[in-house]
Amino acid sequence: MLTLNYRAHCQGDIKKYLAHSKNVAGNEDPLFHHLRKVADRAATFAGPFGASKEAELAGLLHDLGKYGELFQARLAGKEHGIDHWSLGAWQALMKYKNHGLASALAIQGHHIGLQKAEKEALAQLNPNRAGSYHPHGLRLSDPDVVRLINRFEDDGLKLPVDITCSIYSGLKAPPATAMLDVRMLYSALVDADFIETEAHFKGEYRESGLSLMPDESLNVLLSYIEVLARKSKAVGLVNRMRSDLLDACLTAAKMPQGLFTLTAPTGSGKTLNMLAFALKHAALHKLQRIIMVIPYLSIIDQTAREYRKVFQKKYSSEDIGKFILEHHSLTGIRNTGDNTSKTIDVDDESIAITRLLAENWDAPLIITTSVQFFESLFSNRPSACRKLHNLAGSVILFDEIQTFPISLAIPSLAVLSRLAEKYRSTIVLSTATQPAFSMLDEPIKLYSPTGWTPAPIVAPQLKLFERIRRTEVEWPLNPGSPLSWAELAHTTTSRDQVLCIVNLKRHAFCLLDELVNLGAEGMFHLSTNMCPAHRQAVLDEVRQRLDNKKPCRLVSTQCIEAGVDVDFPFVLRALAPLDAIAQAAGRCNRNGKESIGQVKVFVPEDEGYP
C-alpha cells in the first residue's frame, strides 16, 4: 500500500523537488509543477461541493516552505527536521483572513494531521512568534514569507486576488458542520498530494476504479432478483412481501436526495432491495458511488458474496474488485467456497490495484465496516481522511443500524445530516428494528442545523410486519425463576432443529457442556471468538442440515442476530432488550415454511448482557 508518511515523503522530495527551478537545468519535475498539479487536482476533487477555490489555494500553498534555504539544505542531506508547510498556512491566513482559514488548516495538517481551529493554535503558525519555539520541535525552512512568495511568483505561480469562502467562514459554525467542512477540504488536498507524489515515483498515474453505470447495473440487479424469486424456497406470502419491498424502494428512489429509513421485517430482502434503491436513486440524481456500511465482518462477508454473485456475469474476476471494493481489517482473506480460507498474494497485480483503490475509495460500490467509516469521518490523520471527499455525491447505506452505539448517535447523525445537506449524499438507515433517532432531532440541531428528519422508504400502508407474522413469542411465566443450563439443554434437545441465542460467550460454553453430557446430535457453536471463515463454514453446514431436515442444534451469541440468513423452526433466546428479541425472531421461520415459528424467551441462571 503506497501510504507515504512525513519521513518517506521528505525522502521522496530529495529525488523529486528542487525549489529554485530556474536554477536547476534539466529538472524534470520542479516544485512549481507539483504545486500546480496538486492545486488543479484538489480543485477537481472539491468542485462537486463548491470548494474548488479553497482547494486550489491549499494546493498552491501547501509546500510553500520548500522554497526556503533550509529546505534546500535538507535536499542536500545537510539539514533535517524542517517545517515546510506552516508558512503556506500562515500566508493563507494573512492574505485571506477567515476566507483562508479552512485552506490554512488543511495546509497545516497535510503532514502532521489536522490541528485545532483555535486562535492559540493558529497563532503558532506565525513565523515571527517569540523565540524559536515550534510545537513539533521543527524549524521553519525560512521565516521570511515575503521571500518565499517572491520565489513562488518568479516561477510563474499566482495567488488569487481574493477568494470567496464557500465552506467555512469562521470558528462559530455548529461543531459538526465546521468539522466536516474542513475535513472535506483537507481530504481533497491530501489525496491530490498523495496521488501526484505517487505518480512521480511510479512514472504513471494509478488506475481508477470502474464507473457505477447505475442504469445498467440496476438492470443486472433486477434480473438477478427475478431469478432468485423464481428459485425461492420461501412461501408465497414471503415472496410477495419481498416484491412489495422492492417496489417501495424503486418508488422512493425517485424522491429528492436526503435522509431515509428503510424498516422492513427480517428475511424481506433488504440487502438487495436497498441496493436497488441506491442504483435507481444514483441514476436519477447522477451520483457516482454507493457505500454500504455494515457493523460486523460476518455480515460484510455475506453481503459481499451476494453482491459479487449479482455482477459476476458483467465483470471478469479481475475487474470485479474494481467495481465492488471491500475495505475492512480482513480484506486480505477470502473464503474460497470450499470451507477453506485463502490469504491473498500481496504481489497479485489485481489485489495491488484494489488496495490502492481502498486508500481513497476510488470505486463505485464500497462495502466497509461502521468502525472504518466513522473512524475515518472523525479522524485527523491524512491517510484516514483522504477518502472523505469521495463521500460527496454518494448513496450511503447503513445496514443493521440497530447495532449503532446510542452514546455516539448525536455527533454521528449530525455529520451524516451535514453530508446530505451540503455534499449531495443520500443517507439510508436500514433495519428491522429501527432506533427512534428522530427523537434526537432537536439535540442534533445543536451540531448540524438541518437536524434529523428522515423520510421512510416503506409506506405504513404496506403493513409489512402485520402481513407476515411468522413467529409467536413465549415469555417466561416467572422472570424471577431462572432456567438452569441442564434444563435449557433438555429443552434444546426436545426438537431436532433449534437455535439457542445467549448473551455471553461463557453462557454458550456452559450450555454446550450440558449438551455434550446429553450426547446431543448435530451440535454447532457460533461466536466472535471464531474467525469469519470458520463462522462461514459453520453456517454453511447449518444451512445444509436445515434444508435436509437433519438434526441441527446451534448455540450462538448475538453475532447471529444481525443479517445472518438462517431459518430455524424453534428459537430459544436469553432475556435481552426488545430489539435483540425481535432480531432473534428474525432467524425463526424466516421463509414462512411453518404455519407459525416458536420463539421462547428464558432467563439464564447466570444473568448478564454485554
Side-chain angles (χ1 to χ4, degrees):
M1 185 178 294
L2 295 175
T3 300
L4 304 177
N5 59 24
Y6 168 64
R7 181 183 297 274
H9 197 154
C10 284
Q11 291 294 338
D13 289 323
I14 293 175
K15 300 177 182 179
K16 181 179 179 185
Y17 304 125
L18 291 176
H20 304 298
S21 58
K22 291 185 178 180
N23 299 329
V24 184
N27 185 16
E28 295 179 357
D29 197 357
L31 176 59
F32 77 91
H33 281 164
H34 176 68
L35 296 180
R36 186 69 262 170
K37 289 177 181 177
V38 171
D40 290 343
R41 184 175 291 276
T44 300
F45 287 159
F49 46 90
S52 58
K53 292 298 182 183
E54 293 94 329
E56 181 183 12
L57 175 64
L60 287 171
L61 290 176
H62 80 289
D63 280 350
L64 180 66
K66 290 180 180 177
Y67 280 107
E69 298 298 340
L70 281 181
F71 192 80
Q72 294 299 298
R74 168 72 182 90
L75 294 178
K78 298 177 181 178
E79 290 287 353
H80 64 277
I82 306 302
D83 174 345
H84 65 268
W85 54 86
S86 292
L87 294 161
W90 184 250
Q91 176 66 12
L93 277 178
M94 291 300 96
K95 184 173 177 61
Y96 303 102
K97 308 303 179 185
N98 273 351
H99 287 243
L101 181 54
S103 297
L105 289 169
I107 295 166
Q108 179 193 25
H110 83 279
H111 280 304
I112 62 174
L114 273 175
Q115 305 299 298
K116 291 183 179 180
E118 296 176 345
K119 289 184 178 179
E120 287 186 10
L122 294 170
Q124 293 175 353
L125 295 170
N126 188 346
N128 299 316
R129 56 184 175 263
S132 59
Y133 169 76
H134 189 287
H136 299 281
L138 306 175
R139 288 180 295 161
L140 296 178
S141 62
D142 189 329
D144 191 339
V145 181
V146 174
R147 181 161 52 224
L148 299 184
I149 288 295
N150 287 338
R151 291 171 178 171
F152 173 89
E153 292 177 345
D154 285 345
D155 267 349
L157 297 170
K158 291 183 179 180
L159 294 175
V161 176
D162 55 30
I163 185 169
T164 301
C165 182
S166 67
I167 63 170
Y168 190 69
S169 59
L171 299 176
K172 296 182 179 180
T177 297
M179 181 212 72
L180 182 62
D181 291 350
V182 171
R183 274 179 170 76
M184 294 294 271
L185 178 63
Y186 179 57
S187 171
L189 172 64
V190 296
D191 194 35
D193 193 22
F194 273 117
I195 288 175
E196 290 299 337
T197 302
E198 174 190 295
H200 172 81
F201 289 116
K202 292 179 66 177
E204 60 182 3
Y205 285 103
R206 59 168 55 196
E207 186 173 349
S208 296
L210 302 178
S211 173
L212 181 60
M213 295 185 291
D215 285 312
E216 183 178 332
S217 297
L218 178 60
N219 289 335
V220 172
L221 174 61
L222 294 179
S223 297
Y224 180 82
I225 291 175
E226 185 179 348
V227 171
L228 279 186
R230 290 200 300 266
K231 295 180 178 179
S232 175
K233 298 177 182 178
V235 297
L237 183 64
V238 172
N239 286 329
R240 285 194 295 275
M241 175 191 66
R242 292 170 180 170
S243 177
D244 287 347
L245 179 58
L246 176 60
D247 291 341
C249 287
L250 294 176
T251 300
K254 301 174 185 177
M255 296 173 66
Q257 286 189 257
L259 307 173
F260 293 87
T261 57
L262 174 55
T263 310
T266 56
S268 59
K270 290 189 296 294
T271 300
L272 293 179
N273 289 334
M274 77 170 84
L275 180 59
F277 167 90
L279 288 169
K280 185 162 186 177
H281 197 68
L284 292 173
H285 296 287
K286 302 187 185 310
L287 308 179
Q288 60 182 356
R289 189 168 286 104
I290 296 170
I291 302 167
M292 172 70 84
V293 184
I294 299 174
Y296 303 131
L297 291 173
S298 57
I299 315 175
I300 281 187
D301 189 64
Q302 178 177 289
T303 301
R305 283 188 292 113
E306 191 67 25
Y307 284 177
R308 283 194 291 269
K309 288 179 185 176
V310 173
F311 297 105
Q312 63 185 356
K313 292 183 179 179
K314 182 179 179 182
Y315 296 103
S316 66
S317 57
E318 292 78 16
D319 284 343
I320 194 72
K322 302 173 191 175
F323 185 78
I324 300 173
L325 176 65
E326 290 182 67
H327 189 199
H328 50 80
S329 60
L330 294 178
T331 303
I333 297 178
R334 292 288 180 275
N335 190 276
T336 61
D338 56 0
N339 293 337
T340 63
S341 61
K342 174 186 178 183
T343 301
I344 298 297
D345 181 358
V346 296
D347 295 325
D348 186 290
E349 183 178 355
S350 63
I351 299 305
I353 292 173
T354 299
R355 290 187 172 184
L356 286 177
L357 298 178
E359 290 180 347
N360 59 354
W361 284 0
D362 184 15
L365 180 52
I366 312 291
I367 304 176
T368 191
T369 60
S370 304
V371 171
Q372 176 67 235
F373 184 88
F374 284 105
E375 284 192 349
S376 296
L377 202 56
F378 287 90
S379 176
N380 75 327
R381 305 306 305 171
S383 58
C385 288
R386 64 181 291 194
K387 64 177 74 72
L388 297 184
H389 66 92
N390 278 329
L391 299 181
S394 299
V395 183
I396 306 175
L397 308 169
F398 291 87
D399 198 13
E400 305 296 345
I401 196 62
Q402 82 281 354
T403 64
F404 194 80
I406 298 301
S407 60
L408 303 177
I410 290 176
S412 301
L413 296 176
V415 173
L416 295 180
S417 178
R418 180 62 170 173
L419 272 174
E421 174 208 0
K422 173 71 178 177
Y423 297 97
R424 295 188 63 244
S425 295
T426 288
I427 312 295
V428 180
L429 305 189
S430 171
T431 178
T433 49
Q434 195 73 232
F437 287 150
S438 294
M439 300 296 291
L440 301 176
D441 180 45
E442 290 302 319
I444 287 171
K445 285 181 179 177
L446 298 176
Y447 296 86
S448 185
T450 48
W452 192 260
T453 53
I457 288 176
V458 180
Q461 296 89 318
L462 276 181
K463 298 182 178 180
L464 294 183
F465 288 89
E466 292 88 338
R467 286 166 48 189
I468 188 160
R469 190 183 175 208
R470 295 166 293 178
T471 60
E472 184 176 79
V473 179
E474 178 185 341
W475 298 90
L477 295 177
N478 185 3
S481 299
L483 202 63
S484 70
W485 298 121
E487 291 172 317
L488 182 60
H490 279 287
T491 304
T492 304
T493 55
S494 65
R495 304 197 188 186
D496 283 343
Q497 296 186 334
V498 180
L499 167 63
C500 183
I501 304 174
V502 293
N503 293 326
L504 301 173
K505 294 171 185 175
R506 71 169 185 269
H507 292 179
F509 294 139
C510 289
L511 177 56
L512 286 167
D513 286 343
E514 294 292 342
L515 289 172
V516 169
N517 292 337
L518 291 176
E521 185 182 353
M523 274 197 316
F524 297 91
H525 168 59
L526 208 66
S527 80
T528 52
N529 274 354
M530 303 156 66
C531 70
H534 190 184
R535 289 199 299 268
Q536 189 57 52
V538 170
L539 286 170
D540 287 343
E541 176 66 16
V542 164
R543 292 186 185 110
Q544 189 176 52
R545 281 180 165 267
L546 291 173
D547 288 343
N548 294 329
K549 306 296 184 183
K550 292 183 178 180
C552 182
R553 298 172 177 96
L554 174 61
V555 179
S556 176
T557 60
Q558 306 100 303
C559 67
I560 200 171
E561 289 178 347
V564 179
D565 187 5
V566 290
D567 185 1
F568 280 85
F570 183 47
V571 171
L572 293 163
R573 181 54 168 100
L575 187 64
L578 187 59
D579 63 322
I581 304 294
Q583 289 292 333
R587 314 311 129 192
C588 180
N589 199 24
R590 190 177 180 90
N591 292 318
K593 296 177 182 177
E594 309 290 329
S595 57
I596 196 78
Q598 298 296 316
V599 178
K600 182 174 182 177
V601 179
F602 66 92
V603 179
E605 61 180 3
D606 174 20
E607 292 189 49
Y609 194 80

